[in-house]
Amino acid sequence: MDGDEVGRALNPLVADTDGDGLKDGEEVRLGTDPKSPDTDQDGLTDQVEVSTCHSATDPDADEDGILDGQDLDPCDKNNPSLTQTAVASMPTATPTPSQTATLTPVPHTLTPTPIPPSATPTHTQTPGLPSLPGKLLFSSNREGKLQIYSRDMGTGSITRLTVSNGDDTQPAWSPDGRRVVFTSNRDGDHDVYVMDANGTNPINLTNNPADDLDPCWSSDGLWIAFSSNRDGNYEIYVMPTIGGPARNISRNPADDRQPFWGITSGDFGGRDTIFFVTDRDGNQEVYSMLVDGQSQLNLSNNGSQDYSPALSADGERIAFTSERNGNADIWLMDVDGSHAWNLTSSSQAADVSPTWSGDDQWIAYSTLLSGNPEIYIIKNDGSLQYNLTMLPADDRDPAWR
């Protein structure tokens, strides 16, 4: 009742004071703090914890010594697999419908800092690492909060691109390599930002009170696809890279996430296609659709969890994460969903977020194989594998070009 809310210093006009997805009355009943979206300060919002492990007051629900927000499966100490629990670990604001996006320039307070190769393993090539093409974007908390870094794959030098008071994650190269799109919560909620490839001129592209995540570029570099819960559930949206209205193209009551935009070849020859992940079939599956949202097709079509799709540069194959063998591994399949096979075959740790090298010979991905999130690379036939980052920090979200 309003009197109770006033007594608890809550706003009687707002049903969910802390914006964590649980109504204030429900939080009082559960013993969580209606003024804090993360009562036990473990990195997961109260709503996520209640819907998964049914406890938002224990920072280590499965008592495995890992905070729930850092645990790939906070409900089971014997099965560290990456499921929707981990995907949803970022806090979720109350969905607020919006029709347009406003470009908001963001001051860049520090010149990007090149980190040259040194004599330590931190910033040098992995011993025996072959010559590799291109540059790799990734996010890391090696200097505090998660920020965006770029690694020259030929020299091993690393440059920090973002300097913000929030977490900057999920980077992706523009097709011409001149800009980077990424997600940041520096303004309180998760928005999609674009910046120059050297980290300058960051701009808030979506500028919406809902959570906007998983950004990627269109094949021609003129559009951004991303997922957002601004209409009540996660859907795939597209908007111009210069700002403007965001359009919902997936239009399904289920959660649609992790879009990847590319041009296919083979039997799908030359089609501009968006691949994405949806739970509309009861589990996470990799789907494809045309850029207008038409012809939505289940490609992975498996009873397990399949997610994180990435199209090869030649448009013939998809790398993705699958749990169909009981562990989160990197799998490959043809662009039509056929001939799926397990590339990493790891029974020890979760392998997620694959990305192809520009020549399609290598795949980078994030894994817990070394105990903490590291970025590994593996040959496309599984014959060679290297730890690229080798740090006690969290390194994730690789994007190669």
Side-chain angles (χ1 to χ4, degrees):
M1 298 192 330
D2 291 349
D4 294 333
E5 293 194 276
V6 172
R8 296 175 183 273
L10 302 174
N11 186 348
L13 301 179
V14 177
D16 180 11
T17 298
D18 55 12
D20 62 357
L22 290 177
K23 292 183 178 180
D24 294 344
E26 181 70 4
E27 294 213 67
V28 171
R29 185 184 69 80
L30 294 170
T32 56
D33 185 353
K35 293 186 291 184
S36 172
D38 181 10
T39 298
D40 55 9
Q41 300 296 304
D42 62 357
L44 291 180
T45 62
D46 294 342
Q47 190 273 337
V48 169
E49 294 203 82
V50 169
S51 64
T52 54
C53 300
H54 312 294
S55 173
T57 56
D58 186 350
D60 181 12
D62 58 7
E63 298 181 344
D64 62 356
I66 302 174
L67 283 177
D68 292 343
Q70 301 173 7
D71 194 340
L72 291 184
D73 189 342
C75 308
D76 185 356
K77 63 182 177 182
N78 297 313
N79 185 24
S81 61
L82 183 63
T83 61
Q84 189 63 28
T85 301
V87 175
S89 62
M90 289 183 290
T92 301
T94 304
T96 303
S98 176
Q99 297 298 318
T100 62
T102 304
L103 292 177
T104 304
V106 181
H108 192 77
T109 57
L110 186 65
T111 302
T113 305
I115 305 174
S118 66
T120 68
T122 302
H123 303 302
T124 61
Q125 300 282 26
T126 304
L129 190 68
S131 177
L132 297 168
K135 292 185 176 181
L136 184 83
L137 295 170
F138 63 99
S139 59
S140 176
N141 65 358
R142 60 186 60 193
E143 296 178 78
K145 288 184 173 292
L146 286 166
Q147 301 288 287
I148 307 298
Y149 293 77
S150 174
R151 177 188 175 106
D152 187 304
M153 298 297 277
T155 66
S157 63
I158 296 175
T159 301
R160 179 175 175 177
L161 299 183
T162 62
V163 180
S164 78
N165 58 2
D167 287 327
D168 300 333
T169 59
Q170 301 179 332
W173 290 107
S174 64
D176 62 8
R178 299 175 60 183
R179 290 180 294 170
V180 173
V181 66
F182 64 101
T183 298
S184 179
N185 63 358
R186 61 182 67 182
D187 292 328
D189 62 291
H190 289 90
D191 283 310
V192 172
Y193 289 71
V194 292
M195 64 181 174
D196 293 342
N198 64 358
T200 59
N201 302 316
I203 293 175
N204 186 338
L205 186 64
T206 53
N207 198 23
N208 188 280
D211 275 346
D212 302 322
L213 306 166
D214 311 319
C216 67
W217 297 84
S218 64
S219 306
D220 58 11
L222 299 179
W223 298 84
I224 299 291
F226 62 97
S227 63
S228 177
N229 63 356
R230 60 185 64 189
D231 289 330
N233 63 298
Y234 281 102
E235 301 270 20
I236 307 300
Y237 289 76
V238 296
M239 69 180 300
T241 56
I242 60 174
R247 184 162 58 93
N248 182 345
I249 62 170
S250 58
R251 295 190 174 278
N252 191 279
D255 282 337
D256 301 325
R257 294 282 307 271
Q258 300 178 341
F260 189 98
W261 197 322
I263 297 178
T264 61
S265 59
D267 291 339
F268 283 166
R271 291 202 316 191
D272 220 12
T273 303
I274 295 177
F275 302 91
F276 65 102
V277 176
T278 180
D279 61 3
R280 63 187 64 180
D281 298 309
N283 59 295
Q284 294 179 102
E285 299 274 15
V286 175
Y287 269 60
S288 67
M289 63 180 169
L290 299 180
V291 296
D292 60 1
Q294 300 299 308
S295 302
Q296 298 187 20
L297 177 66
N298 186 342
L299 297 180
S300 54
N301 200 21
N302 187 276
S304 185
Q305 307 293 335
D306 299 315
Y307 44 95
S308 298
L311 183 67
S312 60
D314 64 11
E316 295 184 356
R317 290 175 295 175
I318 299 170
F320 64 105
T321 295
S322 180
E323 300 179 12
R324 60 187 68 185
N325 280 2
N327 187 72
D329 290 321
I330 305 301
W331 285 62
L332 303 182
M333 64 181 174
D334 291 348
V335 73
D336 62 358
S338 63
H339 303 113
W341 64 282
N342 191 335
L343 178 67
T344 55
S345 299
S346 172
S347 61
Q348 305 175 47
D351 305 327
V352 299
S353 305
T355 178
W356 296 81
S357 61
D359 60 5
D360 287 338
Q361 295 301 302
W362 295 86
I363 292 172
Y365 60 100
S366 181
T367 179
L368 289 174
L369 192 60
S370 299
N372 60 293
E374 298 268 24
I375 294 174
Y376 276 55
I377 60 171
I378 188 169
K379 202 77 166 60
N380 63 7
D381 61 0
S383 60
L384 297 172
Q385 184 183 57
Y386 301 91
N387 183 344
L388 200 63
T389 48
M390 294 193 302
L391 278 179
D394 287 359
D395 299 312
R396 58 185 68 189
D397 304 328
W400 202 340
R401 73 170 301 273

